[in-house]
Amino acid sequence: MKVQTRRDFIKTTALFTASAALASFPAVAMPVQNIGLQLYSVRKDMLADATGTLKKLAAIGYKNLESAGSEKGSYYGLKPKEMKKIASDLGMTVLSGHVHIGTDWQKTVDEAAEAGQTYLICSTMPSNGQTVSNYQHCADIFNKSAEVANKSNLTFGYHNHEYEFEQENGKVLYDILLTHTDPAKVKFELDLGWLIVSGQDATTYFNKFPGRFPLWHLKDMDKTAKHSTEFGKGDIDLKALLAQAKKAGMKNYFVEQEEYSMAPLVAVQYDLAYLKKL
């Protein structure tokens, strides 16, 4: 048995004290890596020059991309395979895409697979009606749509806005989607900005439905005006949200900004720089 010297005792005590101090701090924000961008943030630029805009985004430092519907389709006038190759050559991945569930769902799934996507996200409710019964109906549609997507190795999910947090007879409609979909098949892309602006608490959802939110839309919002802004200029504590990534089940997040105080490409560059300083 080694005899502990005074020097060893001091060293051990110092390490114990440091460890205890670190343990007293809350969880730190998730490391900022492979940051994604929802291309709706630069929608006009993508429509004007998709290839040129992708080059600029790569130069800024974005690694993952999420497409959105546009006047030129989900891939901004490019073929799915074209967009995949351009992004790949630039060191980026088309990880996800926003779509509607329409009459030719299989074609939508096939195109997403050709683009090399991992996720296929429904961005609007497939039928209208702010009622519990309609949301139960939509949950059934999501379960069936997910089965088709899963066969092509795509993960299906739903992206919220603000209206899903309305209530009928004391029931939050968004919760109906969460409780009536198969967790193994249907995932959720949580738009944190709209959730918080609606008056809901993200932590409550992470505790109630842990692991259900592998994708996030990360945005800062002016709660009064209810519009997005550059990171750090609004009312949302991004660092506190990122610290809860593990409980939420978050695997990837996309920066999204819908309104600006500067040119969109400058704004998304500003947002990325802000995240790297957290």
Side-chain angles (χ1 to χ4, degrees):
M1 179 178 175
K2 182 180 179 181
V3 178
Q4 188 179 43
T5 66
R6 183 172 182 277
R7 180 179 295 175
D8 291 334
F9 175 78
I10 293 172
K11 184 185 293 184
T12 301
T13 302
L15 287 172
F16 176 81
T17 303
S19 298
L22 285 172
S24 68
F25 282 94
V28 296
M30 183 179 181
V32 180
Q33 55 186 342
N34 295 327
I35 297 173
L37 180 72
Q38 163 53 255
L39 291 174
Y40 186 75
S41 304
V42 289
R43 50 198 176 276
K44 291 183 179 179
D45 297 278
M46 286 297 295
L47 285 171
D49 181 6
T51 301
T53 301
L54 291 175
K55 290 179 179 178
K56 291 176 182 177
L57 294 176
I60 289 171
Y62 284 100
K63 295 298 182 183
N64 291 326
L65 303 172
E66 183 175 57
S67 64
S70 75
E71 297 169 13
K72 294 182 179 180
S74 297
Y75 304 97
Y76 309 94
L78 301 171
K79 299 292 185 183
K81 288 183 179 179
E82 282 183 292
M83 189 163 176
K84 176 184 178 181
K85 186 178 188 307
I86 293 169
S88 179
D89 289 346
L90 293 168
M92 299 188 295
T93 300
V94 184
L95 187 70
S96 180
H98 276 201
V99 296
H100 304 300
I101 297 177
T103 54
D104 198 345
W105 179 240
Q106 186 62 59
K107 180 182 178 183
T108 300
V109 169
D110 292 342
E111 289 181 344
E114 289 175 8
Q117 293 174 204
T118 299
Y119 297 93
L120 187 58
I121 305 298
C122 175
S123 58
T124 57
M125 294 289 285
S127 64
N128 297 322
Q130 291 298 90
T131 64
V132 169
S133 61
N134 182 55
Y135 274 64
Q136 290 174 337
H137 172 62
C138 289
D140 291 338
I141 293 174
F142 291 162
N143 284 325
K144 293 175 183 176
S145 299
E147 289 179 2
V148 178
N150 293 166
K151 290 177 181 178
S152 293
N153 295 317
L154 288 163
T155 298
F156 175 85
Y158 179 71
H159 167 274
N160 67 280
H161 298 85
E162 183 181 10
Y163 59 82
E164 292 91 343
F165 297 99
E166 293 177 6
Q167 298 184 28
E168 184 188 45
N169 297 326
K171 295 183 178 180
V172 178
L173 297 175
Y174 187 63
D175 294 13
I176 301 301
L177 297 179
L178 283 156
T179 55
H180 284 76
T181 49
D182 184 343
K185 298 176 182 177
V186 179
K187 309 300 180 182
F188 287 82
E189 179 177 59
L190 192 61
D191 189 307
L192 292 157
W194 288 122
L195 176 139
I196 292 170
V197 163
S198 74
Q200 301 292 329
D201 177 61
T203 302
T204 299
Y205 272 90
F206 299 154
N207 288 333
K208 189 175 180 180
F209 302 101
R212 295 296 303 273
F213 310 101
L215 297 184
W216 288 4
H217 271 191
L218 197 65
K219 60 175 62 167
D220 205 348
M221 300 279 284
D222 181 320
K223 290 183 181 180
T224 303
K226 291 191 175 183
H227 66 66
S228 60
T229 185
E230 289 79 36
F231 287 176
K233 296 182 179 181
D235 303 308
I236 294 179
D237 189 341
L238 302 178
K239 189 172 183 178
L241 290 170
L242 287 168
Q244 301 178 75
K246 185 176 181 180
K247 181 176 289 185
M250 190 265 275
K251 296 180 179 179
N252 298 97
Y253 62 88
F254 299 98
V255 171
E256 183 182 45
Q257 190 172 336
E258 300 175 61
E259 293 88 18
Y260 321 87
S261 65
M262 56 187 76
L265 279 166
V266 178
V268 298
Q269 184 173 16
Y270 180 99
D271 292 339
L272 182 61
Y274 181 91
L275 285 175
K276 288 183 176 180
K277 291 178 182 178
L278 283 181

